[in-house]
Amino acid sequence: MVTNLIVIGTQKAKLEQTSKGFQKRLMLFLDGAKLNGYDSVTAVIRTQRNADGFLSAMANDGVASDGTEIITFPCDQVINVPGFDIDCSRFRLGEEYHLCGISTAASVLTMAMSMHSAGLNVKVLSKYCEDRKGDRFHKYALEIMNAYMPGHII
């Protein structure tokens, strides 16, 4: 089975608001993701539409066109998601998707629920997720996801 890793909340400012232990654990995991059997690695950044309705675009130097710094790690593609408008049609049925990133109670929760509702095989890697508002929000979000999609939190 094809297994894809999706990393959510790749803004540098978000990562800096998490614990140092999580930052190190996540970056080591991401640096070795392709070597550890993932067929593809996708970074997802939630963007806002500007006054003209356009999304901020990614530049090659780890900075979005709006100046947002993005953490850098080996990945195959970067997806800009406008707000919480998640288009699951880009993902393929029959493949497995592992989610990790920041923030568990917002971006990770929304993406996981949307993908699961679309019939996709999605699993949340709880060890590689953290919420900027603390462990209580992280655990609560995992409980919500586990109630809605039992067996998909690993």
Side-chain angles (χ1 to χ4, degrees):
M1 175 179 287
V2 174
T3 306
N4 306 289
L5 177 64
I6 299 176
V7 187
I8 302 164
T10 57
Q11 296 92 326
K12 192 173 186 179
K14 276 186 162 188
L15 183 65
E16 290 171 348
Q17 293 174 13
T18 62
S19 69
K20 296 294 182 200
F22 173 74
Q23 291 174 26
K24 183 176 181 178
R25 185 171 62 245
L26 179 65
M27 293 312 296
L28 285 171
F29 173 66
L30 295 178
D31 285 341
K34 291 293 280 192
L35 298 173
N36 291 319
Y38 284 101
D39 296 292
S40 74
V41 179
T42 301
V44 174
I45 178 171
R46 196 175 83 209
T47 56
Q48 302 297 325
R49 294 188 186 274
N50 64 21
D52 298 322
F54 294 102
L55 301 177
S56 62
M58 297 300 295
N60 293 330
D61 58 1
V63 178
S65 62
D66 64 1
T68 304
E69 288 186 72
I70 310 302
I71 59 173
T72 55
F73 56 91
C75 68
D76 300 301
Q77 65 178 332
V78 176
I79 299 173
N80 285 313
V81 176
F84 288 101
D85 298 334
I86 299 168
D87 176 13
C88 290
S89 66
R90 72 178 76 236
F91 304 113
R92 293 180 288 279
L93 292 171
E95 295 186 8
E96 187 168 296
Y97 295 92
H98 291 182
L99 271 59
C100 68
I102 312 157
S103 284
T104 316
S107 302
V108 175
L109 174 71
T110 303
M111 187 77 152
M113 302 285 258
S114 295
M115 292 178 76
H116 183 75
S117 293
L120 296 165
N121 184 7
V122 60
K123 303 214 182 299
V124 176
L125 306 176
S126 60
K127 181 178 176 181
Y128 301 107
C129 295
E130 189 167 299
D131 199 277
R132 296 175 295 160
K133 293 185 179 180
D135 199 44
R136 189 180 84 186
F137 285 85
H138 169 74
K139 288 179 180 177
Y140 186 62
L142 292 175
E143 288 175 14
I144 292 170
M145 288 184 276
N146 195 47
Y148 182 73
M149 37 190 247
H152 291 266
I153 311 302
I154 54 177

